[in-house]
């Protein structure tokens, strides 16, 4: 029986592992299906983590020291995909792994993160991280005083277009319909912003570029094909939280979630199920930043330590 199982090895899972092992737990396993590091390892640059020695380094380089530190304190990494977490009648948890294996644990921290949806246009994958981005807070500064495009019509797209307009010389907001999902007040603010050009009833046909990255977009608009010479496009077409592991056989979730499938937690990262904690992008109201995910992981581990200590 594990004391603690951590699912996911991004900033939240790794920070949880560090705090749990340094906090004295001996039998802690982190189940991470890939290399530890999380989604930030796919980013070409990160410069907003406090105390960084090399602001602007790649996300991969930035995360490379995190696992070594956790390993030093005794965290075990099992490179396995978790399929499902269930709770047993004695309040322990069963962690079902790919290939039919399973483990039991007294407590579980789920830190499986989120995955920005891909829009599906040609060239999106090819230029992802080299001009195609899903994070304006992270990458907006790289386009200071340059023209960029934003794709989407929800709150995120419109809010991020406004954010980018503070940095960039112009923002082309591309949306596939004339109607927006974004809140009217946000939309009005964007419409009043002279730096934002609305391109509605339009889709991206193709993103193109060269070895240096993205150089432009070919759009299908109601007036025909339009070429947009931009070095950056931010796609905000929705987000999938990785909550599959919490799905039970009857289709319900193991713990409470909101309508978007984000897990409800309190300030101690506790779910409504004793011994089950959630940290990082998967939780409600997550700022979706490395710093906040790491903070959540530490809080969840401290809560798990407390929970395990009080089991008997
Ligand atoms: P994640 O980083 O998503 O990690 C979750 C981990 O869980 C993954 O490694 C995944 O493999 C694993 N996992 C998922 N499901 C399973 C399963 N079933 N079994 C086993 N393992 C599983 N934030 C910043 O602060 N600054 C930036 O500059 C920045 N730039 C970004 C650039 C890009 C391109 C992207 C996509 C995001 C960026 N972010 C940035 C956001 C930041 O990466 C996330 O907020 C942060 O990584 C969330 O951490 P997390 O630990 O909650 O989840
Ligand atoms: P969202 O509301 O799901 O909006 C996604 C947008 O992307 C929609 O406009 C959609 O178009 C468009 N889209 C989807 N797939 C596309 C594709 N393949 N190609 C082109 N466009 C595509 O996502 P979100 O904006 O990230 O918001 C997620 C949730 O968080 C929402 O509930 C939102 O209200 C909430 N949120 C709230 C705030 C806030 O309260 N301040 C801020 C951010 C987010 P259609 O409209 O045509 O479907």
């Amino acid at each position: 029986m594990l004391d603690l199982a951590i699912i996911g090895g991004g900033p939240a899972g790794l920070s949880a592992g560090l705090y749990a092992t340094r906090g004295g737990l001996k039998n802690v396993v982190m189940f991470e299906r890939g290399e530890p590091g999380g989604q930030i390892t796919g980013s070409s640059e990160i410069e907003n983590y406090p105390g960084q020695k090399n602001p602007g380094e790649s996300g991969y380089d930035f995360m490379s020291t995190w696992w070594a530190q956790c390993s030093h304190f005794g965290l075990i990494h099992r490179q396995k995909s978790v399929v499902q977490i269930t709770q047993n009648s004695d309040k322990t948890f069963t962690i079902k792994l790919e290939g039919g294996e399973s483990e039991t644990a007294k407590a579980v921290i789920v830190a499986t993160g989120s995955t920005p949806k891909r829009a599906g246009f040609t060239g999106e994958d090819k230029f992802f991280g080299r001009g195609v981005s899903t994070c304006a807070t992270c990458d907006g500064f790289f386009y200071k005083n340059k023209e960029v495009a934003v794709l989407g019509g929800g709150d995120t797209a419109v809010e991020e277009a406004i954010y980018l307009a503070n940095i960039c010389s112009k923002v082309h907001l591309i949306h596939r319909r004339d109607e927006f999902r974004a809140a009217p007040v946000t939309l009005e603010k964007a419409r009043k912003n002279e730096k934002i050009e609305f391109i509605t009833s339009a889709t991206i046909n193709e993103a193109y570029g060269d070895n240096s990255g993205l150089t432009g977009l070919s759009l299908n608009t109601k007036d025909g094909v339009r070429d947009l010479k931009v070095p950056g496009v931010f796609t905000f077409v929705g987000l999938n939280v990785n909550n599959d592991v919490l799905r039970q056989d009857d289709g319900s979730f193991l713990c409470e979630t909101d309508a978007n499938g984000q897990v409800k937690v309190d300030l101690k990262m506790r779910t409504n199920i004793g011994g089950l904690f959630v940290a990082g992008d998967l939780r409600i109201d997550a700022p979706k930043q490395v710093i906040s995910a790491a903070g959540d992981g530490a809080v969840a581990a401290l809560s798990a330590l407390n929970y395990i200590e009080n089991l008997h």
Side-chain angles (χ1 to χ4, degrees):
M1 164 94 61
L2 303 178
D3 281 332
L4 177 66
I6 298 168
I7 322 300
L14 287 165
S15 302
L18 178 65
Y19 273 69
T21 50
R22 284 197 77 243
L25 286 185
K26 293 279 178 254
N27 203 1
V28 185
V29 172
M30 181 183 78
F31 297 91
E32 163 57 59
R33 62 187 168 202
E35 260 189 74
Q39 56 179 287
I40 189 66
T41 58
S43 171
S44 55
E45 289 170 280
I46 172 165
E47 62 178 17
N48 62 357
Y49 196 88
Q52 257 183 284
K53 240 182 180 176
N54 304 307
E57 67 198 309
S58 72
Y60 187 85
D61 287 347
F62 171 70
M63 290 306 297
S64 64
T65 53
W66 290 43
W67 164 243
Q69 187 185 14
C70 292
S71 175
H72 174 76
F73 289 106
L75 183 66
I76 294 162
H77 171 209
R78 284 201 65 195
Q79 194 160 351
K80 283 272 175 185
S81 212
V82 171
V83 178
Q84 190 186 43
I85 302 160
T86 54
Q87 192 172 34
N88 306 309
S89 53
D90 63 356
K91 305 288 182 202
T92 62
F93 297 88
T94 294
I95 295 106
K96 292 185 189 161
L97 307 174
E98 61 180 340
E101 251 185 291
S102 64
E103 288 267 14
T104 51
K106 293 177 190 169
V108 181
I109 296 174
V110 185
T112 45
S114 69
T115 313
K117 285 184 191 162
R118 296 283 165 107
F121 53 82
T122 304
E124 184 179 27
D125 290 342
K126 185 175 175 189
F127 293 105
F128 196 82
R130 299 194 302 127
V132 178
S133 170
T134 51
C135 182
T137 321
C138 320
D139 298 335
F141 190 74
F142 304 126
Y143 303 98
K144 192 169 162 63
N145 298 326
K146 293 179 181 164
E147 282 191 28
V148 295
V150 166
L151 180 70
D155 281 310
T156 308
V158 181
E159 284 183 6
E160 297 305 295
I162 295 166
Y163 172 85
L164 286 165
N166 290 326
I167 302 168
C168 306
S169 58
K170 184 163 184 173
V171 179
H172 303 272
L173 180 55
I174 303 160
H175 179 38
R176 63 186 179 186
R177 295 186 294 137
D178 282 326
E179 302 291 314
F180 283 78
R181 284 176 195 270
V185 61
T186 313
L187 201 53
E188 199 183 323
K189 206 171 156 194
R191 288 199 191 279
K192 280 186 183 155
N193 192 317
E194 287 176 357
K195 281 188 175 177
I196 301 176
E197 183 204 358
F198 281 67
I199 308 176
T200 56
S201 295
T203 53
I204 299 175
N205 180 36
E206 187 185 359
Y208 59 84
D210 53 30
N211 286 342
S212 68
L214 183 85
T215 54
L217 301 171
S218 166
L219 309 183
N220 285 326
T221 76
K222 52 193 167 196
D223 305 317
V225 174
R226 177 171 169 189
D227 189 53
L228 220 52
K229 297 270 182 250
V230 284
V233 58
F234 291 83
T235 61
F236 301 111
V237 297
L239 211 61
N240 295 319
V241 284
N242 301 325
N243 57 19
D244 291 356
V245 297
L246 294 166
R247 185 79 73 179
Q248 304 300 286
D249 290 342
D250 66 1
S252 67
F253 287 111
L254 177 58
C255 55
E256 279 180 23
T257 65
D258 69 6
N260 297 317
Q262 306 173 112
V263 176
K264 292 186 182 176
V265 291
D266 64 11
L267 288 175
K268 293 188 171 181
M269 303 302 139
R270 294 181 297 202
T271 69
N272 66 314
I273 302 291
L276 180 68
F277 307 87
V278 164
D281 277 13
L282 174 60
R283 72 161 169 93
I284 47 161
D285 296 331
K288 301 204 165 53
Q289 293 287 290
V290 173
I291 181 73
S292 51
D296 283 2
V299 172
L302 294 174
S303 299
L305 277 159
N306 185 264
Y307 172 82
I308 292 164
E309 262 169 37
N310 289 305
L311 271 180
H312 300 295

